[in-house]
């Protein structure tokens, strides 16, 4: 008769295996849709991407010298009298225009200053956006989603394989469980690199690897016990 704890492990392993495989199927479907999306974007004629209209903006800064998120303004009262050392990712600024990641830009029409503030007047024509850059960014955006969903599907497949073993095991302290747990742990490390390193994923990877070595130690004790008997 099976130990009640092993029965619990088997039951949870079976449930997690089913859930993991269902989630994996959804991720695979998502990956297929992203591939279709990439093909669809690539087939769109560049000259069919159109946008019209104008945009005007007024930006007022409360002080003449301001360092905000790496952007340093030094204003002297006209549009050629200020400098910006750096800007947020994707935005570059020179004396005459603000460029948004190579896709579109706004002209700096006027800069006025007084003792308390500086005002920038910007204008832009939507029709002047870079159509090729828009198409390229759409492809890279969908490609990023493809990599993420595919990596997640692989992770779920590895996890489902481990859960399947746990659903049938007589004891979790076996070489099969140890091996699959180590594979899952290192897969999490690769997953963190692929989708972008984040603290929760790193901690999960370390926790799974630690659990694998706990199981390895338990398997060693189990083997020694069986040999003794």
């Amino acid at each position: 008769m099976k130990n009640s704890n092993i029965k619990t492990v088997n039951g949870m392993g079976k449930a997690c295996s089913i859930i993991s495989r269902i989630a994996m199927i959804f991720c695979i479907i998502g990956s297929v849709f992203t591939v279709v999306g990439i093909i669809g974007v690539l087939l769109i004629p560049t000259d069919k991407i159109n946008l019209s209209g104008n945009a005007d903006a007024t930006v007022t800064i409360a002080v003449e010298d301001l360092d905000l998120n790496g952007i340093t303004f030094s204003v002297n009262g006209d549009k050629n009298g200020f400098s910006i050392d750096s800007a947020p990712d994707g935005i570059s600024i020179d004396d005459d225009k603000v460029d948004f990641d190579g896709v579109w830009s706004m002209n700096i029409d006027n800069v006025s200053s007084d003792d308390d503030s500086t005002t920038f007047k910007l204008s832009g024509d939507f029709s002047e956006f870079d159509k090729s850059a828009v198409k390229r960014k759409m492809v890279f955006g969908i490609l990023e989603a493809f990599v993420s969903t595919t990596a997640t599907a692989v992770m779920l497949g590895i996890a489902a394989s481990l859960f399947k073993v746990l659903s049938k095991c007589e004891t979790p302290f076996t070489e099969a469980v140890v091996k699959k747990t180590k594979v899952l742990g290192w897969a999490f490390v690769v997953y963190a690199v692929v989708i972008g390193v984040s603290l929760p994923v790193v901690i999960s990877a370390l926790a799974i690897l630690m659990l694998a070595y706990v199981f390895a130690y338990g398997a060693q004790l189990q083997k020694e016990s069986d040999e003794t008997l």
Side-chain angles (χ1 to χ4, degrees):
M1 184 176 179
K2 278 189 177 181
N3 180 282
S4 60
N5 291 322
I6 294 300
K7 287 183 178 180
T8 301
V9 170
N10 292 156
M12 293 182 67
K14 184 175 182 179
C16 290
S17 177
I18 293 172
I19 294 171
S20 297
R21 291 186 186 281
I22 292 174
M24 180 183 67
I25 290 172
F26 277 107
C27 285
I28 291 173
I29 293 173
S31 295
V32 172
F33 273 111
T34 57
V35 171
V36 173
I38 290 173
I39 295 173
V41 172
L42 290 174
L43 292 177
I44 297 175
T46 303
D47 58 3
K48 295 297 182 180
I49 304 175
N50 294 304
L51 191 63
S52 61
N54 297 307
D56 296 298
T58 301
V59 180
T60 301
I61 301 174
V63 292
E64 288 190 355
D65 296 312
L66 174 67
D67 187 357
L68 178 63
N69 293 329
I71 307 177
T72 302
F73 297 88
S74 300
V75 182
N76 294 320
D78 59 67
K79 73 175 183 176
N80 294 315
F82 71 95
S83 62
I84 297 178
D85 297 335
S86 62
D89 291 342
I91 300 177
S92 61
I93 308 174
D94 57 28
D95 289 344
D96 297 309
K97 65 176 56 179
V98 180
D99 182 83
F100 297 94
D101 209 11
V103 175
W104 186 58
S105 63
M106 296 186 74
N107 296 319
I108 300 175
D109 295 329
N110 183 54
V111 178
S112 59
S113 298
D114 56 34
D115 293 337
D116 299 318
S117 65
T118 298
T119 300
F120 299 85
K121 292 188 179 297
L122 309 175
S123 66
D125 186 343
F126 288 133
S127 65
E128 295 178 355
F129 75 98
D130 189 329
K131 299 179 181 180
S132 297
V134 170
K135 190 172 180 178
R136 184 169 59 251
K137 287 185 177 298
M138 290 174 65
V139 170
F140 279 116
I142 300 173
L143 183 60
E144 184 177 350
F146 168 77
V147 172
S148 179
T149 54
T150 302
T152 303
V154 172
M155 281 293 306
L156 289 169
I158 295 172
S161 177
L162 170 61
F163 293 138
K164 183 178 180 180
V165 173
L166 290 172
S167 69
K168 298 179 179 180
C169 69
E170 297 292 333
T171 172
F173 302 118
T174 63
E175 288 299 324
V177 173
V178 171
K179 181 179 179 181
K180 290 184 180 296
T181 305
K182 286 183 178 179
V183 170
L184 181 60
W186 287 113
F188 252 107
V189 174
V190 176
Y191 182 74
V193 173
V194 171
I195 68 168
V197 178
S198 64
L199 186 59
V201 176
V202 171
I203 291 176
S204 297
L206 294 176
I208 293 171
L209 286 172
M210 181 180 66
L211 189 62
Y213 287 100
V214 170
F215 281 149
Y217 179 66
Q220 182 181 352
L221 294 178
Q222 181 78 54
K223 183 178 180 181
E224 291 175 357
S225 175
D226 292 341
E227 291 175 349
T228 300
L229 295 174

